[in-house]
Amino acid sequence: MYSPSMSRAFFVLIFLFAPFMGLGGCADAQRDSILFNFDWQFSRDKQTWTAVNLPHDYQIGQPWVAPAADEKADLKNEAANIKSLLSARAFKALGKGYYRKAFVPKNEWQGRRVVVDFEGMLLVGDAYLNGRHIGKTDYGYLGFESDITPLLKWGEENTLEVVCDTQNPNSSRWYTGGGLFRDVHVIITDRNFYFTRNPLYITTKVEGQSATVHVQAEFANQYKGDKERIDSLTFAYTIKDGSGKVVAQKVCRKKYYGRQRVNEYRLDSVRIDNAVLWDIDNPHLYTIEICALGTGGEVLDKVGDTFGVRTIEYGADYGFRLNGRKVLLKGIANHHTLGALGAAAYDRAIEKRIQLLKEFGVNHIRTSHNPYSKGFLHLCDKYGILVVDELYDKWLKQFSGGRVEWTAQWQHDLPEFIKRDRNHPSVVMWSLGNELQQEWGMAYADWGVTIYRSMKPVLQRYDNTRPITVAMHPRFRDVDTDSIPAPLALETDIASYNYRYMYFPGDAKRYPWMRFYQSEANTQGLGKNFFEMNLDKVVGLAYWGAIDYLGESQGWPRKGWNLGFFDISLLPKPTAYFVKSYFTEEPMVHLSVYQGREQMDWNGVNLGNVNLTEQWDAGKGAKQTLYAFSNADEVELRINGKTKARLKNKRNEPTARNKFIFTNVDYEKGKAQAIAYTGGRQVATYTLETTGAAKRLKMETDNAKWKADGIDLQHIRITAVDAKGRRVYGTNGILKIKVDGDATIVAASNGDQTCEYINTPTTADRKQMEYPLYDGAAMVILRSERKGGMVKDVKLTVNETTKHL
């Protein structure tokens, strides 16, 4: 423990690199896209306004709302019902948030079409320009665009306003966050001729060492004059490989279909010789730039995108193949939120998670249960993550925004979702929902079968290159017999079962054509729920809540889910190394100390898990149980150099494979070491050590190319260490964090889901905050400013003293 006299000041120079972007291509291109994330004002009451930049989650900085004594009162009482539901919503008050941004349109925008594009609003939202309603979203994960040209006031200040609303307590089963949580852009095009929102559809066909690329483009002609401005359309596109080399070009002239309409144009295909395939180990991306030209060769509009060349196949006998080889989906299923950042969709925070997951062998993410951000999919493309892209939770108004009946909503959402995401090579399966078959009373009262049959052809109208699934609830199969799959499972292309992988063999015998995917696997059954599947035949699995998150807490004072194998501050728990032992082939071993077991019932499934620590400090004579996780043949345990036991890997026992449990070990101060052997040869070691008292704080940054773009993040890991630099578990104390330089504090976290401190700074300048260490660690997240300078000083003070550690 820190004494009251301990403190620490730590100074770092973190350089902010100005971002560089450039696409090149069509000369005199008519399209401009302006990021509109900065200089907004926010209010909860329309009286007091605070300066904010986007992305922004207005709920994450609110105080925790502790439950009242009558929380478990009669749920017919509306107030009691709201309090109870706040447990699922992370004990944050629900309600409206108001945004406004003043701007003066640029003179060069006149005579052109000006569109504002909102990538998302939570949970629902409405937008206004100069007091006039310009658009809304009833399902905030997809957003919308609005042509604001007629409403702009030239040469004077305009006001863009947004109202977001989370106040329906029944509209989600978890913490969603609220507000303008994704990017906003203003897009300027030709007034009459332009590519639409998400206009490109790119597919590829691999033929030997080459690939044929097919391109489809959606283009609008809204010209209203007496004579046609153009009598034909020419599309010119260029494809470059990952190094920027041009590998294909095509110019094609298309029939002009008339004015005041939107048309899809199938362009002439091109061939890429010696095509580099997109793969999880080599996620090679191509870039396409396409221009639309008028009759006289004038540029009307230009758009671009990235894509990958790859093949995917599914079969009952092999599960999933990528580029002709069997690949097992080894993944996670989490909500879209980002820990202490809430719902605010920062690309760097997403990238950090993907990098961490890759390190532990994860190659797959299921976007449960709503579409993630555009940036997420671009990062999955970049890092080789396979995505099951999910549109909804349950097919009910209650879980799709709560403002419009779902049966009147999906016809709009589904095309928008598919058109937005279909060019991403990382997306290998579409999912239309989650645990639907428990809801018999959905439209047509047949457990969702008729609705699915209605949705499938609409989806395939926009993409027919991927299979479609819906995740099945673990407690509901056939309502009459409970012995065969739910009716909906027999309709989907892939049979996705949450937790109930044990049904795969029996269902495969009844229906040999079925292809199985464990869409949620619990962390209580780590190892067992992987090795008990027929890995040669299944598609794979996704571990539910692998990263701890806010919401679904099961009761105060816990603010969220804590059964993951990464804590909410992204520190790996010992069980993460168990997963790594069978998600990777890299020889490894990890050692930890057993501290007991936590129990939790979820959807009728026991999701309790073992509590493990790396703290080796039990006291003389204490009996210890140690867990070693390894993919080696054997693991030896040594205490201070003396062998205590050597255990073999029980590879034929799914419940024990890669798990080595050493019981009744006498604690001795010093070192506990696990040594792994394969074929009699030492292949890996891991050591726990008894530490000394905490002497200083160590700070580690994670972003060497931190950009001064006003959005990029720097995660700083703070660890209390002893004189030898070892983490001292059990160390607590209140950190006072102060930043001097061109960055602000955006959030802090320490992995403790019962922490009562707010995750965000409360000062107007966001340059300082207080936050506790937990078990010797914490994390502070800085957001860059746009000045292109440096952060000169990050000062940490523990327990309000001036003494240095």
Side-chain angles (χ1 to χ4, degrees):
M1 296 288 292
Y2 274 113
S3 71
S5 64
M6 293 183 173
S7 70
R8 169 63 165 163
F10 192 95
F11 301 87
V12 293
L13 294 178
I14 306 172
F15 291 91
L16 305 178
F17 292 87
F20 172 80
M21 295 184 65
L23 190 59
C26 302
D28 302 319
Q30 295 298 306
R31 175 173 293 245
D32 294 303
S33 181
I34 301 170
L35 185 64
F36 230 48
N37 281 7
F38 305 106
D39 304 318
W40 288 78
Q41 296 283 319
F42 171 76
S43 177
R44 288 300 305 271
D45 57 10
K46 301 181 74 172
Q47 301 297 320
T48 303
W49 295 86
T50 304
V52 298
N53 293 323
L54 310 182
H56 181 250
D57 175 0
Y58 65 77
Q59 285 196 278
I60 193 66
Q62 295 174 187
W64 307 111
V65 180
D70 64 349
E71 179 179 0
K72 297 184 181 296
D74 182 359
L75 293 185
K76 293 181 181 178
N77 178 288
E78 183 177 359
N81 189 28
I82 291 174
K83 291 170 188 172
S84 298
L85 286 167
L86 286 184
S87 178
R89 303 293 287 273
F91 295 102
K92 296 287 187 179
L94 308 178
K96 292 184 178 181
Y98 302 89
Y99 295 84
R100 68 186 185 191
K101 177 179 171 63
F103 68 100
V104 177
K106 295 181 179 180
N107 290 333
E108 55 264 35
W109 296 0
Q110 294 196 58
R112 303 172 71 188
R113 171 178 172 264
V114 183
V115 171
V116 60
D117 188 295
F118 299 94
E119 191 185 336
M121 300 177 182
L122 286 177
L123 195 56
V124 295
D126 292 87
Y128 305 82
L129 181 66
N130 300 324
R132 296 280 299 275
H133 190 265
I134 59 172
K136 67 169 185 172
T137 176
D138 296 314
Y139 181 63
Y141 296 93
L142 290 177
F144 63 95
E145 69 173 13
S146 178
D147 185 345
I148 60 174
T149 313
L151 298 179
L152 287 172
K153 298 177 180 179
W154 300 102
E156 59 182 288
E157 188 174 87
N158 290 246
T159 301
L160 182 61
E161 298 173 280
V162 174
V163 182
C164 297
D165 192 352
T166 65
Q167 65 185 357
N168 181 353
N170 294 298
S171 59
S172 179
R173 300 182 292 126
W174 54 83
Y175 176 82
T176 61
L180 291 173
F181 74 121
R182 293 180 183 162
D183 291 340
V184 177
H185 284 86
V186 167
I187 300 168
I188 302 98
T189 69
D190 184 274
R191 173 165 285 181
N192 300 301
F193 304 98
Y194 52 86
F195 290 103
T196 61
R197 194 178 197 225
N198 305 313
L200 300 183
Y201 182 31
I202 304 162
T203 58
T204 63
K205 183 178 180 181
V206 177
E207 301 166 308
Q209 299 299 311
S210 302
T212 301
V213 181
H214 301 277
V215 181
Q216 179 177 295
E218 190 176 80
F219 193 80
N221 174 5
Q222 301 297 341
Y223 184 62
K224 298 178 181 179
D226 293 334
K227 296 181 179 180
E228 302 291 359
R229 263 184 58 187
I230 55 175
D231 55 23
S232 66
L233 273 174
T234 299
F235 294 96
Y237 66 91
T238 300
I239 296 175
K240 299 178 181 179
D241 65 14
S243 68
K245 176 185 176 182
V246 174
V247 295
Q249 292 180 306
K250 180 68 74 171
V251 177
C252 45
R253 189 169 181 173
K254 290 296 177 181
K255 180 181 178 181
Y256 175 53
Y257 291 119
R259 56 186 172 176
Q260 297 187 46
R261 61 187 292 179
V262 173
N263 291 299
E264 290 178 339
Y265 294 89
R266 294 188 177 182
L267 309 186
D268 299 345
S269 61
V270 294
R271 186 182 182 89
I272 299 176
D273 294 324
N274 300 310
V276 181
L277 300 185
W278 183 93
D279 203 286
I280 57 176
D281 299 319
N282 181 34
H284 185 270
L285 293 171
Y286 290 92
T287 300
I288 185 171
E289 182 186 89
I290 179 169
C291 296
L293 308 174
T295 304
E298 70 276 20
V299 177
L300 301 174
D301 201 1
K302 177 187 76 171
V303 291
D305 207 347
T306 56
F307 67 96
V309 176
R310 52 106 173 104
T311 65
I312 58 172
E313 305 167 82
Y314 294 82
D317 293 333
Y318 56 81
F320 172 70
R321 287 176 181 163
L322 177 65
N323 300 325
R325 68 182 179 94
K326 163 73 177 182
V327 172
L328 191 69
L329 270 59
K330 297 179 286 190
I332 72 164
N334 262 73
H335 298 306
H336 69 283
T337 52
L338 300 171
L341 296 166
Y346 292 93
D347 282 355
R348 175 55 198 149
I350 297 168
E351 182 178 46
K352 183 176 180 67
R353 281 159 174 76
I354 290 175
Q355 290 171 330
L356 175 66
L357 293 169
K358 288 279 287 188
E359 181 185 341
F360 281 77
V362 172
N363 65 15
H364 159 54
I365 297 174
R366 173 187 169 211
T367 65
S368 44
H369 302 294
N370 299 282
Y372 285 16
S373 68
K374 293 180 181 179
F376 165 80
L377 289 177
H378 284 297
L379 288 164
C380 288
D381 292 344
K382 175 182 176 181
Y383 285 99
I385 295 291
L386 304 168
V387 176
V388 172
D389 205 0
E390 193 156 279
L391 179 58
Y392 293 117
D393 183 17
K394 295 173 173 55
W395 293 343
L396 297 169
K397 174 182 178 181
Q398 176 181 352
F399 300 120
S400 58
R403 193 159 72 170
V404 175
E405 290 295 336
W406 180 85
T407 50
Q409 185 174 334
W410 70 262
Q411 298 91 338
H412 167 269
D413 294 342
L414 182 55
E416 184 70 19
F417 168 61
I418 301 301
K419 290 171 69 176
R420 193 196 76 157
D421 295 354
R422 61 189 175 182
N423 292 333
H424 292 280
S426 57
V427 176
V428 295
M429 192 191 307
W430 302 116
S431 175
L432 292 179
N434 175 63
E435 299 182 347
L436 303 176
Q437 78 281 16
Q438 72 183 103
E439 302 292 347
W440 177 85
M442 291 186 297
Y444 309 110
D446 61 356
W447 307 98
V449 170
T450 297
I451 293 180
Y452 176 82
R453 290 176 179 173
S454 301
M455 295 176 76
K456 184 173 182 177
V458 175
L459 188 159
Q460 292 180 329
R461 157 70 175 81
Y462 297 97
D463 180 61
N464 61 2
T465 67
R466 301 166 175 91
I468 307 169
T469 193
V470 172
M472 299 291 109
H473 194 284
R475 290 188 295 167
F476 300 88
R477 284 170 61 77
D478 185 86
V479 67
D480 297 319
T481 66
D482 197 38
S483 62
I484 62 174
L488 188 57
L490 295 173
E491 296 287 330
T492 57
D493 298 329
I494 306 295
S496 298
Y497 294 0
N498 288 354
Y499 309 109
R500 297 308 191 195
Y501 67 92
M502 63 285 297
Y503 294 152
F504 291 172
D507 290 351
K509 288 181 180 179
R510 296 183 187 93
Y511 305 98
W513 48 266
M514 293 184 78
R515 298 165 288 186
F516 297 99
Y517 162 59
Q518 192 179 170
S519 39
E520 290 178 22
N522 64 56
T523 54
Q524 181 270 339
L526 292 177
K528 180 176 184 288
N529 51 22
F530 180 82
F531 292 119
E532 283 189 342
M533 296 191 299
N534 185 335
L535 300 179
D536 292 330
K537 292 188 174 184
V538 299
V539 172
L541 90 173
Y543 279 113
W544 177 256
I547 302 174
D548 289 349
Y549 57 88
L550 291 172
E552 298 184 292
S553 76
Q554 298 296 290
W556 183 266
R558 185 184 297 159
K559 314 307 187 305
W561 179 271
N562 73 330
L563 297 179
F565 39 85
F566 299 100
D567 73 25
I568 197 168
S569 76
L570 301 184
L571 279 178
K573 302 177 186 178
T575 47
Y577 296 91
F578 184 30
V579 175
K580 184 177 183 178
S581 76
Y582 55 87
F583 272 13
T584 71
E585 297 180 359
E586 173 192 353
M588 55 80 60
V589 66
H590 185 272
L591 187 64
S592 57
V593 182
Y594 177 77
Q595 288 189 313
R597 179 178 291 273
E598 183 169 359
Q599 299 296 326
M600 178 186 288
D601 184 80
W602 192 262
N603 282 338
V605 179
N606 175 19
L607 296 186
N609 209 346
V610 293
N611 290 326
L612 303 171
T613 180
E614 294 188 34
Q615 183 175 4
W616 183 242
D617 189 16
K620 186 176 181 179
K623 295 290 186 181
Q624 299 286 279
T625 297
L626 287 88
Y627 276 57
F629 301 125
S630 178
N631 47 22
D633 293 342
E634 298 176 283
V635 172
E636 176 186 3
L637 176 67
R638 294 180 184 175
I639 305 296
N640 292 327
K642 297 179 181 178
T643 299
K644 298 296 181 180
R646 184 162 171 163
L647 302 178
K648 293 183 181 296
N649 196 337
K650 299 178 181 179
R651 300 188 187 278
N652 295 324
E653 299 181 25
T655 59
R657 185 170 176 174
N658 289 12
K659 188 187 302 181
F660 304 79
I661 303 176
F662 301 91
T663 59
N664 293 315
V665 177
D666 291 325
Y667 169 78
E668 297 178 22
K669 182 178 180 180
K671 295 183 180 181
Q673 186 177 44
I675 304 172
Y677 302 88
T678 293
R681 183 176 60 87
Q682 180 177 318
V683 293
T685 64
Y686 198 89
T687 302
L688 305 179
E689 295 186 59
T690 306
T691 62
K695 295 295 183 182
R696 59 186 178 89
L697 294 178
K698 180 172 70 173
M699 296 174 64
E700 299 170 284
T701 59
D702 77 328
N703 188 355
K705 296 183 179 180
W706 194 14
K707 298 185 292 295
D709 60 4
I711 297 177
D712 200 13
L713 301 180
Q714 186 74 255
H715 298 75
I716 302 178
R717 179 71 61 189
I718 305 163
T719 310
V721 298
D722 66 5
K724 295 184 178 180
R726 301 171 297 190
R727 177 179 172 182
V728 182
Y729 290 85
T731 303
N732 300 308
I734 306 303
L735 295 169
K736 281 192 173 182
I737 307 162
K738 187 174 183 179
V739 176
D740 179 10
D742 299 322
T744 58
I745 302 170
V746 66
S749 183
N750 61 15
D752 179 13
Q753 290 282 49
T754 66
C755 181
E756 296 185 3
Y757 279 68
I758 305 300
N759 297 100
T760 60
T762 57
T763 58
D765 64 359
R766 300 181 180 88
K767 296 285 189 179
Q768 54 189 330
M769 71 177 295
E770 293 186 3
Y771 204 76
L773 284 170
Y774 174 69
D775 221 9
M779 179 174 68
V780 61
I781 307 173
L782 306 185
R783 176 174 178 162
S784 68
E785 295 180 347
R786 292 181 287 165
K787 300 175 184 178
M790 65 179 65
V791 175
K792 296 174 285 187
D793 177 8
V794 178
K795 182 178 181 181
L796 303 179
T797 304
V798 179
N799 294 342
E800 304 186 35
T801 70
T802 57
K803 182 179 178 181
H804 291 263
L805 287 174

